[in-house]
Amino acid sequence: MIVCSHMNYYIIQVKSLKEDEYIQRIEKRLEFRSNSQAFIFPKRELKIKKNGKTRKQALPLFSSYIFIQTEEIDRQLYNIMKTTPYFYRFLPNNQSIQKLEGKDLSLIQHFLQFGKTIESSRVVFDENDRIIVKEGPMKGLEGLISKVDRRKKRARIQVELAQTPIIFDLSFDVIEKGGENNATNL
């Protein structure tokens, strides 16, 4: 991934379930300028229980949205991205391509600090049964939690990104109030 202070983040929407394939195709088409941009498709790890067995599965954090880190969307990059299969649009729209700023940029940077796949947060519940995030990707996002499913160990998060409302679940592990290193089995 490119790490430069003058790089910006942009969002594109692509066909759902084709995000990884789009990135493979676009990176191949842009090999001649591979140091000029990076495509980021963050995922979240959820625990899925099926047939009595729990397994971890990596699912998209923002389904159908890919982030591009680049200095600018120049005409060449725009045309190649737009003509690559599964491309839908830039956010907020193709006529007004805008870099992420303010709350949008802060939100993306918050999640990117946890790597390509976001793992579970560690939480406790207070005496009023409210969730308190001790560490992990949900830390600082408590005000955006709209629903908590203690059985599935998931919290529903509602955000707005580039003026588009997005809802997703993040997983959590409950830690005992007495000793934060001991996970409880609810």
Side-chain angles (χ1 to χ4, degrees), residues 104-148:
D104 291 342
L105 181 59
S106 295
L107 181 67
I108 295 310
Q109 290 174 330
H110 170 81
F111 286 117
L112 292 181
Q113 73 180 322
F114 295 99
K116 287 183 177 184
T117 304
I118 296 163
E119 296 182 356
S120 297
S121 294
R122 295 170 49 89
V123 306
V124 295
F125 287 90
D126 68 10
E127 60 278 352
N128 297 319
D129 216 25
R130 287 185 301 228
I131 192 168
I132 299 169
V133 182
K134 293 296 187 179
E135 62 183 47
M138 289 193 305
K139 183 99 174 132
L141 302 179
E142 293 86 350
L144 303 174
I145 296 172
S146 62
K147 181 181 174 186
V148 175

Side-chain angles (χ1 to χ4, degrees), residues 28 52 59 61 64 66 72 79 87 90 94 102-103 113 124 132 140 157 176 185:
K28 188 166 183 63
L59 298 170
L61 179 60
S64 82
I66 296 173
E72 67 174 335
N79 287 332
F87 175 90
F90 284 91
N94 289 346
K103 290 188 322 187
Q113 73 180 322
V124 295
I132 299 169
I157 312 288
E176 293 179 16
N185 294 323

Side-chain angles (χ1 to χ4, degrees), residues 39-100:
F39 294 88
I40 305 158
F41 181 50
K43 296 186 179 174
R44 62 204 158 109
E45 190 174 87
L46 286 182
K47 294 174 185 118
I48 310 288
K49 192 170 188 173
K50 192 173 183 178
N51 299 330
K53 293 184 180 182
T54 303
R55 62 181 173 82
K56 293 179 181 179
Q57 185 175 357
L59 298 170
L61 179 60
F62 302 108
S63 185
S64 82
Y65 295 105
I66 296 173
F67 301 92
I68 304 117
Q69 185 182 22
T70 187
E71 202 170 320
E72 67 174 335
I73 304 290
D74 58 42
R75 182 169 300 285
Q76 181 184 49
L77 179 59
Y78 174 84
N79 287 332
I80 292 172
M81 290 174 63
K82 195 173 168 198
T83 58
T84 301
Y86 308 125
F87 175 90
Y88 284 159
R89 67 184 178 120
F90 284 91
L91 290 185
N93 60 60
N94 289 346
Q95 291 71 41
S96 176
I97 301 169
Q98 297 174 7
K99 66 182 180 182
L100 292 180

